[in-house]
């Protein structure tokens, strides 16, 4: 029993490795599906804005409200803009953006490709001379890798605006003073780390969602399983990547 589980795990690992290697083999070789990539960027980026806006604003307000009492004990409320900007840019914006996207975008990609797989639309594309891997997988992975960093900047901005509104209401801090302290606290390393993490998270969401959908089977049950596993595996890998990248960046000097 245990040997069968280990064999299945190793086979799955080999299939995932071949899937990722096939992506890198085809992503730099033409013809390039620019029109499909732009369409996917719109689907991932623009259609996620309402959810990202609400989430980012709530994060900014809640984190500010919860941080104020701790700083007030030391008479350091003036440090709120610096504290919030560092927390948002270094950790909250990349992680929250990726988790929200894995739930919305990852499940959508898994279900969409899974439906195409079980209804034999992918096989029909191969018969008609279209490379389904390049059209469906490469375009979606490129789009998620590009759009998650863009969405991260947007979520960070909305979160900072939420934090400013709360600080302005309680401490009467002007917007000029708030953002001056924000930009004084953020370093180039913080921005680079946020972009790098978001790019890795975006690639993970895209490749996991596409793999689950592209290899799904067993009809509608398989489609549902592909969508669920796309979310679960993406979130699990994102937390592991967050841990590894944070450890790696600590080795880089300021």
């Amino acid at each position: 029993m245990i040997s069968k589980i280990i064999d299945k795990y190793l086979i799955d690992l080999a299939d995932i490795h071949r899937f990722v290697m096939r992506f890198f083999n085809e992503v730099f070789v033409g013809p390039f599906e620019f029109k499909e990539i732009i369409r996917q960027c719109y689907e991932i980026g623009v259609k996620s804005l309402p959810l990202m806006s609400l989430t980012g604003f709530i994060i900014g307000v809640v984190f500010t409200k919860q941080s104020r009492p701790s700083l007030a004990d030391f008479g350091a409320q003036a440090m709120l803009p610096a504290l919030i900007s560092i927390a948002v840019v270094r950790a909250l914006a990349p992680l929250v953006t990726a988790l929200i996207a894995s739930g919305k975008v990852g499940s959508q990609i898994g279900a969409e490709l899974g439906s195409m797989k079980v209804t034999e639309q992918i096989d029909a594309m191969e018969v008609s001379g279209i490379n389904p891997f390049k059209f469906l997988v490469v375009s979606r992975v490129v789009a998620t890798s590009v759009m998650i960093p863009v969405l991260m900047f947007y979520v960070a901005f909305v979160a900072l605006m939420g934090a400013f509104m709360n600080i302005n209401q309680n401490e009467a801090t002007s917007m000029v003073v708030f953002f001056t302290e924000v930009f004084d606290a953020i370093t180039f390393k913080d921005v680079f780390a946020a972009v790098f993490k978001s790019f890795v998270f975006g690639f993970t969401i895209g490749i996991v969602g596409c793999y689950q959908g592209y290899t799904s089977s067993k009809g509608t049950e398989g489609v549902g399983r592909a969508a669920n596993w796309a979310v679960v595996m993406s979130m699990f890998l994102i937390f592991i990547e967050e841990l590894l990248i944070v450890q790696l960046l600590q080795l880089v000097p300021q």
Side-chain angles (χ1 to χ4, degrees):
M1 180 65 181
I2 295 177
S3 62
K4 288 184 178 178
I5 295 174
I6 295 175
D7 289 345
K8 185 179 184 308
Y9 173 77
L10 292 176
I11 292 171
D12 289 343
L13 205 60
D15 289 342
I16 294 171
H17 177 263
R18 280 195 293 270
F19 192 83
V20 174
M21 289 300 102
R22 185 178 177 185
F23 167 80
F24 283 112
N25 286 335
E26 299 203 18
V27 68
F28 300 111
V29 180
F32 300 104
E33 302 288 350
F34 289 117
K35 190 174 180 180
E36 179 63 12
I37 291 173
I38 292 172
R39 192 182 77 82
Q40 291 299 326
C41 287
Y42 174 81
E43 293 286 332
I44 296 167
V46 177
K47 291 192 174 180
S48 299
L49 286 180
L51 187 58
M52 294 293 179
S53 302
L54 181 62
T55 306
F57 184 80
I58 291 173
I59 288 172
V61 173
V62 170
F63 189 75
T64 306
K65 290 174 75 69
Q66 292 191 335
S67 300
R68 180 176 289 106
S70 300
L71 292 178
D73 291 340
F74 301 97
Q77 295 98 317
M79 295 179 64
L80 265 173
L83 173 68
I84 293 163
S85 62
I86 291 172
V88 167
V89 174
R90 282 186 185 176
L92 292 176
L95 191 59
V96 170
T97 303
L99 293 177
I100 296 295
S102 65
K104 182 181 183 302
V105 178
S107 62
Q108 180 180 327
I109 292 175
E112 187 178 11
L113 295 193
S115 299
M116 296 182 72
K117 179 70 176 179
V118 299
T119 56
E120 299 181 349
Q121 293 181 55
I122 294 178
D123 296 334
M125 291 175 71
E126 288 181 344
V127 172
S128 61
I130 299 173
N131 183 346
F133 192 91
K134 196 170 192 64
F135 187 80
L136 299 174
V137 175
V138 173
S139 60
R140 281 164 174 77
V141 176
V142 170
T144 54
S145 302
V146 171
M147 291 310 297
I148 298 302
V150 175
L151 288 172
M152 181 276 297
F153 277 115
Y154 178 74
V155 169
F157 173 74
V158 174
L160 290 175
M161 287 303 297
F164 164 71
M165 292 176 66
N166 186 272
I167 292 174
N168 178 262
Q169 185 180 14
N170 291 276
E171 280 85 20
T173 302
S174 69
M175 183 175 288
V176 174
V177 173
F178 176 81
F179 278 101
T180 300
E181 294 185 16
V182 165
F183 287 118
D184 286 343
I186 298 173
T187 64
F188 173 77
K189 181 183 173 183
D190 296 329
V191 178
F192 172 79
V195 173
F196 178 69
K197 284 196 288 186
S198 301
F199 177 80
V200 174
F201 296 160
F203 176 80
T204 301
I205 293 168
I207 204 76
V208 170
C210 288
Y211 175 77
Q212 292 295 335
Y214 203 80
T215 58
S216 66
S217 58
K218 298 182 181 178
T220 55
E221 181 185 350
V223 176
R225 188 183 298 116
N228 289 335
W229 272 108
V231 177
V232 173
M233 287 303 297
S234 296
M235 289 186 174
F236 178 70
L237 292 174
I238 284 168
F239 281 119
I240 293 177
E241 290 166 352
E242 169 76 12
L243 177 63
L244 294 176
I245 293 173
V246 167
Q247 294 295 324
L248 182 66
L249 291 173
Q250 286 182 346
L251 302 176
V252 180
Q254 289 286 349

